[in-house]
Amino acid sequence: MGLFGKNEKKIISALCKKSEAIGNDIANEIEELLEDLKSDYDENQQVVHEFTDFVNEIKSKLPPEDASKLVEFTSKISKVKRCARKGVEAMRELSRDQRKATRETIREYQEYLYV
């Protein structure tokens, strides 16, 4: 004799399908956001390098105080780039974790259905 009757199995099955749909919707939304973020990052990835090259070209033409400020600003822009890269990586991990959690939840529902 099983732990659950037909009615309970129907409820568990419905919850399983609903959880799977919600999990997939969230995963799709995260994936879209990740693609947008990654696309923007890739599109602007070379900007810091180009700016650094530009600064190196013009800093000898500037007064030392201005050149120093420009080099400091370049350093700050590099930090922004690192933050952006970390954001892309964090979103990628979030996407992976969401897919993993959805699969685990479905697996747990399935265990109850086939007890």
Side-chain angles (χ1 to χ4, degrees):
M1 181 173 167
L3 293 175
F4 301 111
K6 286 184 180 182
N7 194 33
E8 287 84 5
K9 284 189 177 189
K10 284 182 185 179
I11 292 170
I12 292 172
S13 179
L15 286 172
C16 177
K17 289 177 184 175
K18 187 174 182 177
S19 291
E20 185 173 17
I22 291 170
N24 289 336
D25 287 346
I26 293 170
N28 289 338
E29 190 171 329
I30 290 171
E31 196 63 35
E32 287 174 14
L33 291 170
L34 172 60
E35 287 303 315
D36 289 347
L37 186 61
K38 188 176 181 320
S39 173
D40 288 345
Y41 177 77
D42 289 344
E43 185 177 305
N44 295 299
Q45 188 173 358
Q46 293 299 319
V47 171
V48 173
H49 182 68
E50 292 170 4
F51 185 73
T52 302
D53 289 346
F54 175 71
V55 166
N56 288 333
E57 285 178 26
I58 66 165
K59 73 179 177 183
S60 62
K61 300 173 186 174
L62 297 172
E65 184 179 296
D66 290 340
S68 175
K69 286 180 183 178
L70 196 55
V71 169
E72 184 179 319
F73 184 68
T74 302
S75 173
K76 290 178 182 180
I77 289 178
S78 294
K79 289 178 183 179
V80 170
K81 180 183 176 184
R82 280 193 299 272
C83 288
R85 185 176 51 232
K86 286 179 183 179
V88 171
E89 288 300 318
M91 188 64 89
R92 186 176 292 125
E93 287 179 29
L94 179 64
S95 177
R96 186 190 65 228
D97 291 347
Q98 171 60 33
R99 288 189 312 267
K100 185 177 175 181
T102 298
R103 283 192 308 267
E104 182 64 28
T105 300
I106 300 307
R107 189 175 18 250
E108 288 176 8
Y109 275 119
Q110 304 250 331
E111 285 178 18
Y112 285 114
L113 282 173
Y114 300 110
V115 170

